[in-house]
Structures are given as structure tokens and as C-alpha cells.
Amino acid sequence: MERHDAIVIGAGLNGLVAAACLARAGLSVLVLDRASAPGGIACEHEVAPGYRLPRFTLGSGGLPPRIVADLDLPRHGLRFIRAEGGVTCFPGGEYHASYRDGVVQRREIARFSRVDADAFTRYRRDMLRAARVLAPLLAGPARPRRKGLFAGLRARLAKADRISAMAPADLHGLLRLATLPASEFLDSYFESPHVKAHLAAAAMMGATLGPCSPTSAARLVLPWLETAGDAMGGAPETLMPVGGPAALVSALRSVILAAGGQLRMEAEVTDIRIKDRKVQGVVLANGEEIGADAVFSGLDVKRSFLSLFQWKDLPEGLVERVGRVCMRGVAAKLNIALDAAPDFPGLPEGCPSLGGGLRLAAEIPAMQRAYDDWRARIPPRNPLIDVFIPSFLDPSLAPQGGHVLSALVQYVPDVLHEGPWSAERRKALGDLVMTRLAEVSPGMEKHVVAFEVLLPDDIENEIGLTGGDFSYGATTLDQLFFNRPFPGTGGAETPLRNFYLCSPSAHPGPLVMGGAGANAAAALLAAKRKEART
């Protein structure tokens, strides 16, 4: 029987990061995926011939610098484009742009309020301060790998010492971020509703929270996690791999193959072999068995345990714990091919912020009403829409003169209270988004070559992501850090020996791209080092 040191189920970004880390450490690694091409939710898709974009994700963002450096991805062809932080367009023609340059950013905010322009300096300082505290917590397991009463006690005391050593201002700021609604937190800095809505809109994308929900302020710090403290004094930038997410997937695949790892596509894992709560290998849909010293799952937590194991083989109570994990779809994805560049007459000509994306948003009370509709499972009436036109930065993604547009529509229920998503409702959602786009780019609808709407149910059916939840589990505080994927874990290790969770269902979730995969690989490598010492 074929055997490997590690098998990774799923060739999404986190699975590929885990496999790359393990392969570079000298382990024999096999990646298995039922799809025909790697990438998972970041897989490349032609919405029309020659028009390339990620089918399910927006397409912006990149891996943290530490992962890029550890895997030496630039040597495998990976390059990034740095863009401004994007622009928010409001009903009535107002807009608010973000700029990396502090002087330009201050001038932009001063259009709405000189008081807010001064306040942004304080806001930026506080965001960077919080990011410096949070970044180390997101870069490793939330729960120390300590076994035994005294070892666990020492770990907890060490964590308590770190908390007590924090400056009072840092601790106070973290507590406010962790508990307040984003709306109340922003009220303590700014007076302009447009400035507050601009910042809130970026934070709420992908969240199962509204801007007035308690604890939602914590999401405001996310764009700042990879921003250097000595940067240009403005807003966080937007990163995009040259060639889109497909280039990132290609670079990770190259690392795995160069280190002797293997990828097998169209190889669906249907069962995991287990004996005495110790994982021993996998079984494919064709009946083939492959042995492994360790198995990593890049699937969401529900699929990982409830579909890959016989429930009778799982520890008592585990099925119930997994079942209680909240996974709900909150966004739809639209992919649009255009035969000409969209024009945005309400923005300054050549506005550089447009390269970082475009958000169509209303003021915070309207955002909260959209969230309330989602909770009531009502089709969106005034959704928050996040738009990215990657071909502005990388023309190779479309034929000459053409462009591709990705849009995530926030607060789209996975299930409606009044019945399923019908073809008519799907069309109505697409028409609503197109109408909103035409308000900021008149005539765009005349240049549409192809247009598709993917609802949460489509995402679940096509790639097996429970509920179509892009976050692989709600990112509320009760499902983050040591509570992710469920209370008492906070890492990649599971109650089953040699079975690791490397998807965003594990800490740090979707908050750090590739972080769950890197943490899972580190957990196995640490265990092997410990075995070697004993």
C-alpha cells in the first residue's frame, strides 16, 4: 500500500501552504483533491473566453510576509502589486477614498471634516497598536501545546504575565475593540457619517455581524494587521498577486513539487482510516487506500469530521460539538466580464484608489438594516457590495481592452424564510447589483460580455463548503482564538491522534490568509521534534 508521512485533503490555499511547509521540512507529502485543478475557493475561472478571475473569492489580498519568506515564494515566480486602499461610493454621488500617503489621506478626510482628519492620526495609532498585540496571537496556536496539570498551569501563568505586562492604554484599547459595536467605537473618533461608514464597510465584509452588533469593533483592526508602523502614515494598502490568486496557487504548487511532494487531482477522499482513535490513512472514492503517519484536512470542520469518519469511531460528544459550530452563508459572488473599461464619472479622473477596490455602501444605520434583513432571512434590499476590478492592475486577466469584475454581495442569506432561492430571485439579486453598479458607472451594463451569480447554496454544492460560508465558521468572538473550531482547541490538533485541521475552520480562521495551514504544519513538525528528543 502506498504510504506518506502526511496526506493533505484539499488543495485550497491553506492546504497548499501546509503541504509546502511540510515538504520543505523533508516530509513526504501527498495532496489530494476531488477538483480538476488546485486552488479551492481561489481557483481560477474563465467567466468568458480569455476573461480570468477567481470563481468564488474577490481576488485581492496576499499571504503574510512571514509565510512568503518562509516558503521562498518569490523564487517560484510570485510577485505582488501594491495598490491604494480602495474607495467607497455612497448614494447621492459622494465618495471616500483611502490613500497610503498620510498627507493625501488627511486631505481626503478633511473634505468631510477637519476634526476627523485630526482624529485619523489617533485612530491609525490605535489600530497599529492593537495590530501589534494581535499579530503574534494569530501567528501561532491560540492554545499552547502543553500536556499535564503543571505544564498547563505554567502556560496559563505565562499568558497571564504577558497580559499584566501590557501597557494600560494597550489593554484598554483591546478591551474596547473586543466588546464594543463598530458604530460606537467609530463614534468615539469621528463625526462624519461618511468617514465612519467607509471604515465600517471594509470591516463588515464577510462578517456575521452588523456594524451595531456588540464585539463588531474587533473587525476594524483586520486591515491593519500587515501594515508597518513606519509606513507612509495613511490607510492600509491592498495587495494582489500578479496574475491573480491563480499565481499564488501556482507558486505554492511549485514549492511542493520542488521539495518532492505530490498533488493528485480528481482524487476524492471519502473515508479516513482510524484505529484506537489514531488516524492511519485515507480511502478514495475508487476504493484505493493510502497510508499516512498524519492526515491534514483542508475541509471545513463539519465536513472534516461528519463526512470523513464513521461517527461511531469519533470520541464521545465530538459529533455534538462539531454540530454546534455556527456556519452560515453571508455573501453571494458575482463574476462579470466587460468588453471595455468601466467609467466612474463621480470619481476624480485617474483615481488611484480605484485599483484597491470599490465598495458600494450606505451609512451605518442602513448597513445595520441590511444585516437585520439577513438575520430575518429576507432577500437583500440594500446590500453592502465589495467590488474588485483586478484587470485595472493586471491587464493580462482579460483580452485587450476588456476587464473582469468580481463582486461580493454582503448579507445574502443562505436560506430564505419564504422558500428557496428561485431563478427569479437569483435574477432579481443580479439585477439589483447591476443597477447599483450602473449608478456609479453609467452604461456599464452595455459592455457586459458574461454575468454569473453564485449564491451560498451554489458555493456549498460546487466546492463542498458548508452553508457556502467563506469564513469556514462564524468569526464571532465565541468562535475565535482558543474557541476555534470549538471551545478548548485553538489550534490545528484535534481529539484524534495524527489528524490535523488546516482549513480556516481552525485558528486563526480567515483572519490571516494561509495562517491555518502554516499553524497545522508547525504543529506536526513540533510533535516530530519532540519525538526525536525522546
Side-chain angles (χ1 to χ4, degrees):
M1 181 174 65
E2 181 182 350
R3 189 169 188 84
H4 297 270
D5 293 327
I7 288 175
V8 178
I9 303 171
L13 287 179
N14 278 279
L16 294 175
V17 167
C21 292
L22 296 172
R24 280 175 60 87
L27 275 62
S28 63
V29 180
L30 173 65
V31 181
L32 301 168
D33 197 299
R34 70 178 188 177
S36 59
I41 63 173
C43 66
E44 188 172 75
H45 168 62
E46 275 198 337
V47 64
Y51 292 86
R52 300 181 292 115
L53 75 176
R55 182 162 171 77
F56 304 104
T57 62
L58 198 60
S60 60
L63 295 175
R66 60 182 175 86
I67 295 179
V68 173
D70 288 347
L71 297 179
D72 199 13
L73 291 175
R75 190 168 67 86
H76 294 268
L78 185 64
R79 299 290 184 272
F80 287 101
I81 299 172
R82 297 181 181 272
E84 301 290 358
V87 57
T88 302
C89 292
F90 300 99
E94 289 280 4
Y95 73 91
H96 186 327
S98 284
Y99 297 95
R100 289 176 290 168
D101 187 291
V103 174
V104 180
Q105 175 71 359
R106 179 183 176 86
R107 187 184 305 136
E108 174 68 7
I109 297 175
R111 291 196 303 111
F112 300 95
S113 165
R114 291 187 179 278
V115 172
D116 287 357
D118 292 335
F120 183 79
T121 300
R122 181 166 57 93
Y123 178 79
R124 184 179 189 277
R125 178 204 65 196
D126 292 346
M127 290 295 101
L128 289 172
R129 181 182 289 166
R132 284 194 294 269
V133 175
L134 287 175
L137 300 179
L138 297 173
R143 184 169 179 262
R145 303 184 194 96
R146 302 286 192 272
K147 295 185 179 179
L149 174 62
F150 293 106
L153 181 59
R154 284 195 299 271
R156 285 167 175 78
L157 287 174
K159 186 170 289 187
D161 286 342
R162 287 197 297 271
I163 293 174
S164 65
M166 290 175 60
D170 289 350
L171 184 58
H172 176 67
L174 278 180
L175 288 174
R176 293 181 70 241
L177 274 171
T179 56
L180 289 180
S183 57
E184 186 175 338
F185 187 86
L186 292 168
D187 283 344
S188 67
Y189 290 88
F190 306 109
E191 63 180 16
S192 166
H194 290 94
V195 172
K196 290 184 282 190
H198 174 68
L199 296 169
M204 291 304 105
M205 289 306 305
T208 52
L209 294 168
C212 301
S213 303
T215 76
S216 60
R219 297 189 62 87
L220 294 168
V221 75
L222 299 182
W224 300 88
L225 287 173
E226 300 298 336
T227 300
D230 59 350
M232 299 173 67
E237 62 192 6
T238 297
L239 275 182
M240 174 187 162
V242 177
L248 184 52
V249 171
S250 177
L252 289 168
R253 181 177 180 273
S254 176
V255 171
I256 296 168
L257 297 179
Q262 301 177 45
L263 283 86
R264 286 179 57 182
M265 308 309 297
E266 299 182 346
E268 181 178 4
V269 174
T270 55
D271 293 281
I272 294 180
R273 296 174 56 243
I274 183 173
K275 184 177 181 181
D276 299 326
R277 294 189 183 178
K278 183 178 181 181
V279 167
Q280 299 180 328
V282 303
V283 180
L284 304 186
N286 63 5
E288 180 184 358
E289 294 191 19
I290 306 174
D293 295 337
V295 174
F296 289 69
S297 176
L299 310 183
D300 69 67
V301 61
K302 291 182 183 287
R303 301 272 175 167
S304 295
F305 288 102
L306 304 184
S307 68
L308 295 179
F309 292 95
Q310 298 290 324
W311 290 11
K312 63 180 177 60
D313 293 331
L314 297 176
E316 183 178 356
L318 183 58
V319 170
E320 289 77 13
R321 292 174 75 192
V322 172
R324 286 193 290 269
V325 175
C326 177
M327 292 190 69
R328 288 182 62 186
V330 71
K333 174 71 191 305
L334 273 71
N335 299 317
I336 304 175
L338 301 168
D339 63 11
D343 182 38
F344 297 92
L347 301 180
E349 187 174 353
C351 178
S353 289
L354 194 57
L358 176 76
R359 290 189 185 89
L360 307 180
E363 294 179 7
I364 284 179
M367 277 190 232
Q368 183 66 26
R369 287 193 293 272
Y371 166 72
D372 292 338
D373 282 351
W374 173 79
R375 289 193 64 190
R377 300 187 183 277
I378 296 172
R381 292 175 286 185
N382 187 22
L384 174 62
I385 304 172
D386 201 0
V387 177
F388 191 53
I389 309 175
S391 48
F392 276 164
L393 301 176
D394 186 355
S396 69
L397 298 175
Q400 186 173 4
H403 287 272
V404 286
L405 183 152
S406 283
L408 283 178
V409 187
Q410 176 73 0
Y411 301 133
V412 176
D414 51 349
V415 178
L416 300 177
H417 79 286
E418 55 186 8
W421 278 94
S422 62
E424 292 77 12
R425 288 181 176 138
R426 180 192 298 267
K427 181 178 183 303
L429 178 62
D431 290 345
L432 172 62
V433 174
M434 201 68 236
T435 298
R436 294 283 303 279
L437 287 169
E439 289 173 358
V440 296
S441 181
M444 179 188 291
E445 69 280 2
K446 300 175 183 177
H447 298 285
V448 173
V449 175
F451 185 99
E452 65 179 357
V453 180
L454 299 172
L455 299 169
D457 189 55
D458 300 318
I459 295 159
E460 177 168 16
N461 292 336
E462 290 194 30
I463 59 175
L465 185 53
T466 301
D469 184 353
F470 287 121
S471 296
Y472 285 69
T475 53
T476 47
L477 283 180
D478 62 314
Q479 288 190 184
L480 284 176
F481 298 104
F482 50 82
N483 285 331
R484 196 170 186 92
F486 31 74
T489 50
E493 295 165 305
T494 72
L496 303 175
R497 289 180 60 192
N498 302 334
F499 184 63
Y500 297 84
L501 194 61
C502 68
S503 75
S505 284
H507 175 77
L511 306 186
V512 179
M513 188 181 293
N519 286 352
L524 175 60
L525 295 175
K528 286 190 170 293
R529 287 194 295 269
K530 184 176 180 180
E531 288 177 7
R533 291 195 298 266
T534 58

